[in-house]
Amino acid sequence: MQDAPPADDAALVRAYLDHVRVEKRLAERTVALYTLDLQRLQQFAQEAGVALSAVQPAHIRRWIASMHSGGRSARGIALILSGWRGLYTWMGRQGWIAHHPVQGVRAPKAGKPLPKALAVDDAVRLADHVQADDHPGLEARDACITELLYGCGLRIGELVGLDVSAGPAARGWIDAQAGEAHVLGKGSRRRSVPVGRTALAALERWLAQRPLWAKDDPALFIGQRGARLTPQHIRLRLRRRSMQAGLSVPVHPHMLRHSFASHLLQSSGDLRAVQELLGHANIGTTQVYTRLDFQHLARVYDAAHPRAQARSVPDDKESS
């Protein structure tokens, strides 16, 4: 016998969020984003005077159009639809709806902007920068963070999840002797990434400073109060470091991941290896870096090949 559906829409949404948190074991940030998306869905349904179980595809399309005309990006709408789709798929499995209102409904077509990567010289300048007026502990920590983000291509969530040492409860750690970082990535997939000599040297300098602030938190990267750093704190520190290093754009952690992938692909041409190092489940996700690589080659061609120069600068006789 099937369970009866929750009494109202709010209870229905709470039950679904409990399901994704407990049974699907989604990350807290993902659950928080689903919560916002489903609150938006509830608001649309209330304004239309329909229960969530009575929503039709026409409603979904109307709400998509409303979000799009309100300035929401196509990618943002696609992510919202994904959250809505998950709710109705779950309701269908419970036998609480006869038709899936989001199935087959698509978000507006979006362009595919290239990820922003630093030039090699800028990435090296950022990694080599020394902020002499910072506390030695802050400088050593921020330098190590920069080296791991750029040298290993870690996601920020993987970086903040690193502990000082391996253990049953550790999400990630660095084996300095083996020169490997063990991280927990998206989809709770574990992977190992090589750590270069420069990053290992930066790690050693930071570990020498860490005891100044260390308390009981096992986190590798801690603040001056001894607690694990948050992603937001790291974003602010990296932005500050990039500005003080004289870069023309403020740098965020994912930009260093993009730079890692782009520079590695330019040097090696090995797309499969880059996929493994980034922890992408699908090589299609990694293929965006081939477009970055082609842009790099095109710039080299335009700057160096005589035919490219002739093509971009008209001959005086022809232009006269």
Side-chain angles (χ1 to χ4, degrees):
M1 182 176 178
Q2 291 178 336
D3 293 335
D8 54 44
D9 286 349
L12 178 70
V13 168
R14 285 196 301 272
Y16 174 66
L17 292 173
D18 287 342
H19 163 72
V20 298
R21 183 184 297 108
V22 177
E23 296 184 34
K24 297 189 73 175
R25 300 177 66 185
L26 296 186
E28 282 302 318
R29 175 167 171 76
T30 304
V31 175
L33 292 174
Y34 276 17
T35 301
L36 293 175
D37 294 341
L38 295 177
Q39 286 173 347
R40 184 178 288 108
L41 176 63
Q42 281 183 266
Q43 183 179 350
F44 279 133
Q46 285 177 345
E47 291 172 353
V50 296
L52 290 181
S53 59
V55 168
Q56 300 297 315
H59 291 117
I60 300 293
R61 293 190 181 94
R62 188 183 315 141
W63 298 336
I64 289 173
S66 173
M67 289 188 289
H68 197 223
S69 63
R72 178 77 59 174
S73 70
R75 175 172 170 74
I77 292 173
L79 291 172
I80 291 169
L81 277 181
S82 176
W84 294 1
R85 191 174 290 113
L87 170 69
Y88 282 106
T89 298
W90 173 74
M91 290 173 64
R93 287 177 184 152
Q94 308 305 312
W96 296 339
I97 54 172
H99 303 286
H100 194 310
V102 189
Q103 203 67 37
V105 178
R106 296 182 179 180
K109 191 172 181 179
K112 293 184 178 179
L114 289 175
K116 294 179 180 178
L118 295 172
V120 173
D121 289 347
D122 284 343
V124 171
R125 186 196 310 174
L126 178 65
D128 288 344
H129 176 70
V130 175
Q131 191 59 34
D133 57 355
D134 263 351
H135 184 285
L138 289 175
E139 166 55 29
R141 185 197 66 190
D142 292 354
C144 185
I145 287 171
T146 305
E147 288 287 356
L148 289 175
L149 289 171
Y150 176 53
C152 302
L154 301 185
R155 299 179 178 95
I156 190 169
E158 296 167 349
L159 182 89
V160 299
L162 291 173
D163 282 353
V164 173
S165 57
R171 289 170 52 198
W173 64 91
I174 295 177
D175 183 341
Q177 188 172 0
E180 293 180 347
H182 302 274
V183 298
L184 185 66
K186 283 188 175 179
S188 297
R189 291 188 295 271
R190 290 199 173 274
R191 76 180 189 283
S192 298
V193 185
V195 182
R197 285 178 295 178
T198 307
L200 289 173
L203 175 65
E204 185 177 359
R205 290 192 295 273
W206 161 235
L207 289 177
Q209 295 287 333
R210 186 181 177 278
L212 296 172
W213 306 331
K215 293 181 181 176
D216 298 326
D217 201 310
L220 174 59
F221 293 113
I222 57 176
Q224 290 173 294
R225 295 182 179 179
R228 188 185 297 269
L229 291 185
T230 64
Q232 180 62 17
H233 189 94
I234 290 176
R235 290 187 187 99
L236 291 173
R237 294 294 300 182
L238 187 59
R239 179 187 178 94
R240 175 179 180 270
R241 184 180 182 87
S242 64
M243 295 291 94
Q244 291 172 338
L247 271 65
S248 59
V249 294
V251 175
H252 55 80
H254 221 65
M255 189 182 292
L256 290 182
R257 179 171 160 87
H258 292 322
S259 303
F260 163 85
S262 176
H263 301 167
L264 192 59
L265 187 61
Q266 288 173 17
S267 300
S268 69
D270 191 333
L271 190 64
R272 284 288 180 186
V274 174
Q275 178 193 4
E276 291 294 325
L277 291 169
L278 291 174
H280 286 161
N282 190 327
I283 199 168
T285 309
T286 318
Q287 283 175 330
V288 67
Y289 295 105
T290 62
R291 297 168 64 197
L292 283 174
D293 188 37
F294 179 80
Q295 283 195 338
H296 167 75
L297 294 175
R299 284 195 297 269
V300 171
Y301 174 81
D302 287 338
H305 197 284
R307 288 302 190 192
Q309 293 172 347
R311 180 167 55 88
S312 59
V313 181
D315 185 85
D316 290 341
K317 292 181 180 179
E318 292 180 358
S319 59
S320 59

